[in-house]
């Protein structure tokens, strides 16, 4: 075997379907690798096409037919041996080996290529690893989305190859987000002793150079524990990882869709507050506008909290009442409902129409701003806990072009808010009163207290609710499993088995009934991608958990 030379990892952020932009970026990275005197450069799988095309290529086969031209263009712009990732019409991963203006080979399955006397095992997937034993070095190209389980699964596989085959192994991972799918980069190389010899940046494009004859850069990664039990003591590192994932997701969604500005309702509550902070960090304060839209039920504290938050962040802000819109709409509905009642019986004793009118009136204001000012979309501020329960209004607070926190539970949002206050450059931008405030939409009066209805009173304690979600997603537990499990909330609070059963019943019943809402949610970033379930939001619901029996 000849002496191993430098290998370049071109960790790039591709734009889904924009072959020309991706091609230009690949060429730029390869030329930088050539200047660095590398023997070989590698791009992530499907980097020429971008992630997220799936069935699009079957609908528009001319896209696939154009790929060879881009591969030839890339080959003509570099004299370096390079492995370029792209895909076929079925979206299967393929690599082209190019050199000095020519396309030397296409690779569609695990195989060995030889370059200047060195044998490289190109591993596209883990189905057949037999080619590794005859290689000098391994290159693993399968992409891994964000998530602690994915990181651990990947590192376990890489160290296994290093240990069993005594080979150096390089993993090339993309960075960036497309809709809900997000990659954190951190391409990595292990030597034959299971030691990390190089690691690219997390959540950033990077040209990693692996020099087998010298020192390599090992960038820090964000590490946090993969806990086997539900724990409300969220680590700072986990909160940072969530923040970086959502920040990247917002940046890429806006940039790749050609959108610049965001408008959102500022209620003075936790959800809209965290959204406002992340949007400001991702888009710049000059591109974020917050609107306080009080009703007669909105407290003075909520209005002042929204205004103070906007001032602290430096974003645009305005206050406009929804009272005229609410009163006019309610009057129109009353006449209509009377006519319907003459034809149908079964009118609800308790009406939720006023709640929905308020939420939808606010959405009309936000969509009006988006329609009136260029390159702008409204933001949906629903969180994961309330979305699971269907505690959100279609065409109301669910309405928007993007939902930044839809994959973050309420208890985690509280922790994230505190982390944001101490970690950002602008310290304590979030008023403490917002973090201390009990969540509530301020849409209705609680008949028992005479005060605005508290969300937990309408649902259940968030600590209990979020543990149900954790048990569904982490443990894949069923309704029956949970009845027979001891919750953390039970250990810390004196609740009866009847109360526990009532809450679990309510959760599963509402979760099942809210499935139609889940299907029309705006795009959102998944912060901890499942390792064994087809990508989709609310994936546990669609994998059997709605088939339960309430005893």
């Amino acid at each position: 075997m000849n002496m191993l030379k430098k290998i370049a990892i071109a960790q790039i952020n591709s734009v889904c379907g924009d072959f020309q932009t991706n091609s230009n970026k690949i060429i730029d990275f390869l030329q930088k690798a050539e200047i660095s005197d590398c023997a070989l450069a590698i791009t992530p799988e499907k980097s020429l096409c971008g992630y997220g095309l799936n069935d699009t290529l079957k609908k528009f086969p001319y896209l696939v037919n154009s790929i060879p031209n881009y591969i030839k263009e890339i080959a003509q712009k570099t004299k370096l041996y390079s492995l370029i990732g792209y895909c076929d019409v079925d979206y299967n991963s393929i690599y082209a080996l190019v050199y000095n203006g020519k396309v030397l080979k296409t690779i569609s399955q695990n195989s060995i290529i030889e370059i200047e006397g060195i044998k490289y095992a190109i591993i596209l997937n883990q189905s057949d690893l037999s080619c590794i034993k005859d290689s000098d070095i391994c290159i693993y190209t399968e992409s891994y989305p964000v998530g602690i389980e994915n990181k651990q699964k990947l590192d376990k596989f890489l160290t296994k190859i290093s240990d069993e085959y005594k080979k150096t192994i390089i993993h090339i991972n993309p960075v960036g987000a497309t809709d809900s799918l997000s990659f954190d980069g951190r391409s990595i190389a292990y030597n034959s002793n299971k030691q990390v010899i190089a690691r690219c940046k997390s959540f950033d494009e990077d040209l990693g150079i692996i020099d087998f004859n010298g020192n390599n850069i090992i960038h820090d990664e964000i590490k946090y524990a993969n806990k086997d039990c539900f724990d409300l003591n969220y680590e700072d590192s986990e909160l940072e990882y969530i923040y970086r994932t959502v920040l990247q997701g917002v940046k890429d969604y806006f940039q790749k869709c050609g959108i610049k500005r965001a408008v959102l309702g500022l209620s003075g509550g936790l959800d809209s507050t965290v959204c406002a902070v992340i949007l400001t960090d991702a888009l710049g304060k000059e591109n974020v506008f917050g609107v306080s839209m009080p009703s007669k039920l909105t407290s003075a504290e909520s209005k002042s909290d929204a205004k103070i938050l906007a001032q602290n962040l430096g974003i645009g802000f305005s206050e406009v009442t929804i009272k005229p819109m609410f009163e006019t709409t309610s009057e129109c509905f009353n006449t209509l409902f009377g006519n319907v009642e003459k034809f149908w019986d079964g009118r609800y004793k308790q009406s939720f129409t006023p709640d929905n009118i308020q939420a939808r009136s606010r959405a009309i204001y936000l969509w009006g701003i988006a329609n009136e000012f260029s390159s702008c979309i409204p933001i949906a501020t629903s969180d994961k806990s309330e979305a699971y329960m269907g505690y959100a209004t279609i065409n109301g607070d669910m309405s928007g072009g993007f939902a930044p926190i839809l994959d973050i539970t309420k208890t985690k949002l509280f922790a994230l808010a505190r982390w944001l206050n101490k970690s950002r450059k602008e310290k304590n931008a979030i008023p403490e009163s917002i973090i201390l405030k009990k969540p509530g939409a301020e849409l209705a009066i609680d008949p028992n207290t005479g005060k605005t209805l508290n969300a937990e009173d309408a649902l259940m304690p968030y600590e209990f609710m979020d543990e149900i979600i954790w048990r569904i997603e982490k443990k894949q537990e069923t309704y029956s499993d949970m009845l027979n499990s001891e919750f953390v909330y039970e250990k810390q609070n004196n609740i009866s088995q009847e109360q526990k059963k009532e809450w679990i019943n309510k959760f599963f019943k509402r979760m099942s009934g809210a499935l139609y809402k889940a299907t029309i949610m705006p795009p959102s970033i998944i912060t901890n991608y499942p390792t064994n379930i087809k990508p989709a939001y609310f994936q546990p619901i669609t994998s059997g958990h709605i088939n339960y029996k309430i005893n």
Side-chain angles (χ1 to χ4, degrees):
M1 181 184 76
N2 292 339
M3 182 67 70
L4 287 170
K5 296 181 181 180
K6 290 189 285 188
I7 295 176
I9 301 174
Q11 179 178 285
I12 69 173
N13 184 349
S14 298
V15 180
C16 179
D18 191 346
F19 295 179
Q20 188 62 66
T21 294
N22 297 337
S23 176
N24 293 341
K25 184 173 288 189
I26 289 171
I27 291 169
D28 181 57
F29 270 75
L30 296 186
Q31 290 176 343
K32 290 177 181 177
E34 192 173 336
I35 294 172
S36 300
D37 195 29
C38 293
L40 174 67
I42 319 157
T43 73
E45 69 168 349
K46 304 172 183 174
S47 53
L48 176 59
C49 307
Y51 254 89
L53 285 173
N54 299 330
D55 293 339
T56 302
L57 297 177
K58 291 181 179 179
K59 296 177 182 178
F60 306 101
Y62 74 87
L63 291 172
V64 179
N65 297 335
S66 70
I67 290 176
N69 295 329
Y70 289 102
I71 297 291
K72 290 177 183 178
E73 180 185 6
I74 294 170
Q76 291 168 359
K77 296 292 180 64
T78 178
K79 297 180 180 179
L80 179 67
Y81 283 103
S82 303
L83 285 165
I84 313 302
Y86 65 104
C87 60
D88 62 15
V89 70
D90 294 316
Y91 207 53
N92 296 313
S93 181
I94 302 178
Y95 269 84
L97 176 63
V98 305
Y99 173 68
N100 200 22
K102 296 180 180 179
V103 180
L104 302 182
K105 189 175 184 179
T106 58
I107 303 165
S108 58
Q109 60 185 4
N110 296 353
S111 56
I112 289 180
I113 60 171
E114 185 171 341
I115 300 174
E116 297 181 349
I118 297 174
K119 295 179 179 179
Y120 297 89
I122 310 301
I123 309 300
L124 304 183
N125 53 64
Q126 298 182 27
S127 61
D128 181 8
L129 304 178
S130 59
C131 62
I132 293 179
K133 64 179 184 295
D134 296 322
S135 67
D136 299 315
I137 190 167
C138 303
I139 298 172
Y140 180 45
T141 66
E142 197 167 14
S143 299
Y144 281 68
V146 296
I148 184 65
E149 290 88 356
N150 282 306
K151 291 160 71 78
Q152 292 178 334
K153 182 180 178 182
L154 171 63
D155 289 340
K156 183 178 180 180
F157 172 72
L158 297 177
T159 53
K160 176 184 177 182
I161 297 300
S162 168
D163 186 43
E164 290 188 6
Y165 292 90
K166 301 302 177 186
K167 307 285 185 182
T168 294
I169 182 165
I170 299 169
H171 176 249
I172 174 73
N173 202 43
V175 69
T178 300
D179 298 340
S180 64
L181 185 60
S182 186
F183 298 94
D184 63 1
R186 66 178 294 275
S187 300
I188 195 169
Y190 285 86
N191 65 14
S192 57
N193 296 318
K194 299 192 296 184
Q195 297 172 322
V196 177
I197 58 174
R199 186 189 295 116
C200 292
K201 297 176 182 177
S202 298
F203 297 103
D204 201 0
E205 289 188 321
D206 195 15
L207 181 64
I209 306 295
I210 303 172
D211 188 348
F212 295 94
N213 304 312
N215 295 325
N216 296 301
I217 297 176
I218 303 177
H219 288 282
D220 292 335
E221 63 173 332
I222 306 172
K223 287 187 175 182
Y224 62 95
N226 185 14
K227 299 176 182 177
D228 290 327
C229 60
F230 182 69
D231 187 0
L232 291 171
N233 297 315
Y234 300 108
E235 300 175 32
D236 283 355
S237 53
E238 180 181 2
L239 298 172
E240 180 186 359
Y241 191 84
I242 291 170
Y243 168 75
R244 294 283 298 275
T245 301
V246 177
L247 187 74
Q248 173 180 262
V250 173
K251 283 182 176 180
D252 276 11
Y253 187 79
F254 275 71
Q255 183 177 349
K256 292 177 180 180
C257 292
I259 309 166
K260 182 179 180 181
R261 299 163 169 167
V263 59
L264 77 163
L266 290 183
S267 66
L270 181 71
D271 292 355
S272 62
T273 293
V274 173
C275 286
V277 174
I278 294 175
L279 288 164
T280 301
D281 292 350
L283 307 178
K285 60 185 180 182
E286 69 279 6
N287 291 316
V288 182
F289 198 97
V291 186
S292 172
M293 297 168 282
S295 71
K296 65 179 182 180
L297 299 179
T298 305
S299 66
E301 182 185 48
S302 292
K303 291 189 283 187
S304 63
D305 283 344
K307 185 175 182 179
I308 293 170
L309 173 70
Q311 290 173 342
N312 291 348
L313 295 176
I315 63 176
F317 179 77
S318 184
E319 181 181 307
V320 56
T321 180
I322 62 168
K323 183 180 178 181
M325 198 179 299
F326 173 78
E327 291 178 346
T328 301
T329 307
S330 298
E331 184 178 343
C332 295
F333 275 162
N334 288 335
T335 302
L336 174 63
F337 293 159
N339 293 331
V340 175
E341 194 170 20
K342 294 175 184 176
F343 184 75
W344 277 342
D345 57 6
R347 189 168 181 176
Y348 291 121
K349 293 181 180 179
Q350 180 184 1
S351 174
F352 292 99
T353 304
D355 304 30
N356 290 337
I357 293 174
Q358 292 173 73
R360 288 168 182 154
S361 296
R362 291 174 174 133
I364 289 173
Y365 275 133
L366 298 180
W367 278 110
I369 293 172
N371 290 338
E372 195 72 15
F373 296 90
S374 64
S375 193
C376 177
I377 59 171
I379 298 300
T381 58
S382 295
D383 66 62
K384 189 172 195 170
S385 304
E386 294 171 1
Y388 254 102
M389 295 283 281
Y391 195 67
T393 302
I394 294 175
N395 298 326
D397 52 326
M398 283 174 54
S399 181
F402 196 73
I405 62 170
L406 191 57
D407 196 43
I408 308 177
T409 56
K410 184 73 85 176
T411 55
K412 197 171 289 186
L413 276 173
F414 276 110
L416 182 60
R418 292 199 176 279
W419 181 86
L420 288 169
N421 260 358
K422 69 180 182 181
S423 303
R424 295 175 67 256
K425 182 179 179 181
E426 292 79 16
K427 305 288 185 183
N428 299 316
I430 300 174
E432 184 71 9
S433 55
I434 292 178
I435 299 175
L436 295 175
K437 186 186 306 179
K438 283 188 174 292
E442 296 185 319
L443 296 175
I445 297 295
D446 187 338
N448 298 318
T449 64
K451 299 179 181 180
T452 53
L453 188 64
N454 183 295
E456 288 185 304
D457 292 337
L459 302 172
M460 66 190 69
Y462 281 108
E463 291 91 341
F464 191 90
M465 187 193 315
D466 288 356
E467 184 167 354
I468 294 179
I469 295 172
W470 182 87
R471 288 176 178 275
I472 289 174
E473 296 191 352
K474 178 75 174 179
K475 296 294 187 180
Q476 299 291 294
E477 287 189 5
T478 64
Y479 169 82
S480 298
D481 293 333
M482 292 186 204
L483 286 178
N484 298 315
S485 301
E486 185 179 23
F487 279 59
V488 173
Y489 190 87
E490 288 182 271
K491 299 177 183 178
Q492 300 174 351
N493 299 273
N494 185 23
I495 63 168
S496 65
Q497 284 299 305
E498 290 75 16
Q499 178 65 84
K500 175 185 176 181
K501 183 177 180 180
E502 179 185 331
W503 283 342
I504 295 175
N505 284 354
K506 177 185 283 189
F507 184 95
F508 275 84
K509 184 175 181 179
R510 292 195 62 144
M511 179 180 73
S512 300
L515 182 59
Y516 73 99
K517 290 187 176 183
T519 62
I520 59 175
M521 284 286 191
S524 62
I525 285 293
I526 295 177
T527 60
N528 191 7
Y529 221 85
T531 59
N532 59 344
I533 300 174
K534 182 180 179 180
Y537 189 68
F538 279 166
Q539 30 80 18
I541 295 180
T542 59
S543 59
H545 288 285
I546 60 173
N547 298 320
Y548 69 95
K549 179 182 178 182
I550 293 180
N551 297 319

